[in-house]
Amino acid sequence: MDALAHHHAGHEFWVSSGHLLLQRDAAGHLAITDEFLKAFYARPEAVPPPEACAAERALHARLMIAPADPVDAAEIAAMQDPDARENWRMLIAFRDLLLSSGTLEAAYLRLVRDGMGWTPPIFVNQLVHAILRNAMDEEESAFVLRAAEMFFRAQRLTINDGALLLADEETVDGAKLDVHASPLVAMFGEQAAKDLDVLIGDNAEGYKARSDAFDMVMDFGIDKEARQALGTAISRWLSHLLGLEASVRAVAEIEDKDWVWFIGLDQEATRIGNQLWKGKDVPEADRARVVALYEMIPGDDPRILPAVAGKPIYLILAMGPDRIIRMKPQNLIAGLPFMADLPLKDAH
């Protein structure tokens, strides 16, 4: 196996995805390594707190040495704290999913197919982050990379002089800084955000160097490069995970009166899309929540349902009542008009 290419500093980005700890297999997917698992056990969710019992500390110490070792249910049952037992059951179930799947991509597709019920969202987002980093390895556009952050990080939206500005929710809400630190601060509520910059052509070259800070704001207004950039990221995601080649184009509205398929890119978009689909009058408040529309046209792919083949699939992105966009990239896979789920099982 070839380790991931280590780019020089100017080209490295999203180091926090953990991709440098993984290896590519022959298909270009990310194979699980001991180094990646050790980093997983070093996460705050996995490190035993000071008051942890001997059984929990012993298991953690053993796995930091031999991260792929089998874990017996009795080892977890021996832990004194019920919350610790529940936490470790989830950790080991996720670890075992990774090991039995072989690659992050295969593990993610299994989660999409079988349901993510027991898997903490923070783990799913880490998978998406690393898989996207792999898919975007040769991407040079800062707009495409910044748009792709939406796949694994919630975005807070504000409107200013007609511009739709998206900022990383955690970055904006977590900052406790001087309220005058940036002219953007007032637009994102009372919390200040250090060094927030709107991504434009002039500063795009600096995106990769600061990409792990998640501190660049995206102008998602009509006819903007950022809006189309999300379409490009969606196309890359489907190509990498499923080998589905599709053009994804930002559109202002659904002009097709007889549209046959749509995918909501988040919970709100699915709800609004279902209203449209059923021919109901959609309240203006709901219409105002739609942030972007895309027309996706898959190439000639035998997996697509005959009734949809050759016709556009519409993608809807919306914000919640709190003006947060919580994109669910799994919808892009689960919502495809494939004839069966078979292609997901053996996708390379």
Side-chain angles (χ1 to χ4, degrees):
M1 285 182 193
D2 293 327
L4 281 182
H6 289 239
H7 300 304
H8 60 77
H11 289 275
E12 193 47 81
F13 65 98
W14 292 357
V15 175
S16 55
S17 68
H19 79 107
L20 293 172
L21 303 173
L22 293 150
Q23 292 181 316
R24 281 208 187 92
D25 67 7
H29 287 182
L30 297 172
I32 313 302
T33 63
D34 281 358
E35 291 74 21
F36 185 78
L37 292 178
K38 285 179 183 178
F40 176 62
Y41 300 135
R43 294 178 66 113
E45 304 86 10
V47 175
E51 68 275 12
C53 68
E56 183 177 2
R57 289 200 305 272
L59 176 59
H60 187 264
R62 178 164 73 83
L63 291 174
M64 286 301 286
I65 296 167
D69 262 14
V71 175
D72 192 276
E75 290 180 82
I76 296 175
M79 294 177 187
Q80 292 170 3
D81 180 34
D83 289 340
R85 291 196 295 268
E86 180 63 21
N87 198 28
W88 275 97
R89 285 189 191 104
M90 286 194 293
L91 281 167
I92 297 305
F94 185 71
R95 193 272 320 246
D96 288 348
L97 170 78
L98 295 180
L99 288 173
S100 64
S101 301
T103 67
L104 294 193
E105 285 86 350
Y108 183 75
L109 289 174
R110 281 176 65 185
L111 282 173
V112 173
R113 190 183 71 242
D114 299 338
M116 300 188 180
W118 57 266
T119 309
I122 194 168
F123 293 170
V124 178
N125 287 338
Q126 183 76 33
L127 270 185
V128 172
H129 192 184
I131 292 167
L132 260 179
R133 175 60 185 80
N134 190 23
M136 298 287 179
D137 195 47
E138 301 298 323
E139 182 55 60
E140 292 300 326
S141 167
F143 291 93
V144 173
L145 296 176
R146 173 58 183 88
E149 289 179 22
M150 298 172 71
F151 281 62
F152 54 92
R153 294 183 71 90
Q155 305 290 314
R156 182 174 292 282
L157 182 143
T158 191
I159 299 170
N160 183 60
D161 291 337
L164 287 177
L165 297 174
L166 299 186
D168 186 274
E169 183 202 12
E170 192 177 312
T171 300
V172 174
D173 291 359
K176 309 266 188 198
L177 301 161
D178 175 13
V179 77
H180 301 297
S182 159
L184 290 167
V185 163
M187 303 177 199
F188 292 101
E190 295 174 10
Q191 299 288 9
K194 184 183 179 185
D195 296 332
L196 277 184
D197 289 318
V198 177
L199 179 63
I200 54 175
D202 289 351
N203 62 18
E205 196 173 325
Y207 170 83
K208 287 186 177 181
R210 62 195 283 186
S211 62
D212 285 288
F214 303 108
D215 63 356
M216 294 199 92
V217 177
M218 188 163 50
D219 182 351
F220 219 60
I222 298 289
D223 297 327
K224 293 287 182 183
E225 188 173 353
R227 188 177 286 254
Q228 182 52 48
L230 179 60
T232 302
I234 288 169
S235 176
R236 195 76 54 79
W237 176 248
L238 292 172
S239 173
H240 181 76
L241 276 169
L242 298 177
L244 178 72
E245 302 304 328
S247 72
V248 182
R249 183 174 65 93
V251 294
E253 59 184 339
I254 299 175
E255 296 175 349
D256 187 350
K257 295 284 186 286
D258 300 313
W259 52 301
V260 296
W261 204 270
F262 86 95
I263 298 172
L265 298 180
D266 56 87
Q267 194 171 337
E268 277 296 299
T270 300
R271 183 182 67 78
I272 294 165
N274 281 331
Q275 294 180 65
L276 289 167
W277 182 260
K278 292 170 183 171
K280 294 182 178 177
D281 284 332
V282 178
E284 184 52 39
D286 281 352
R287 288 181 179 272
R289 283 185 196 161
V290 174
V291 175
L293 291 170
Y294 295 89
E295 182 184 83
M296 180 168 83
I297 301 180
D300 186 18
D301 193 300
R303 295 170 290 183
I304 299 285
L305 286 167
V308 185
K311 296 177 180 171
I313 297 166
Y314 290 96
L315 312 178
I316 305 172
L317 180 71
M319 61 177 172
D322 54 2
R323 294 201 163 192
I324 304 291
I325 298 172
R326 297 177 178 87
M327 187 169 159
K328 298 171 74 173
Q330 64 265 34
N331 289 9
L332 282 163
I333 296 164
L336 280 172
F338 276 4
M339 286 190 277
D341 68 349
L342 291 174
L344 300 188
K345 293 179 178 174
D346 303 305
H348 278 295

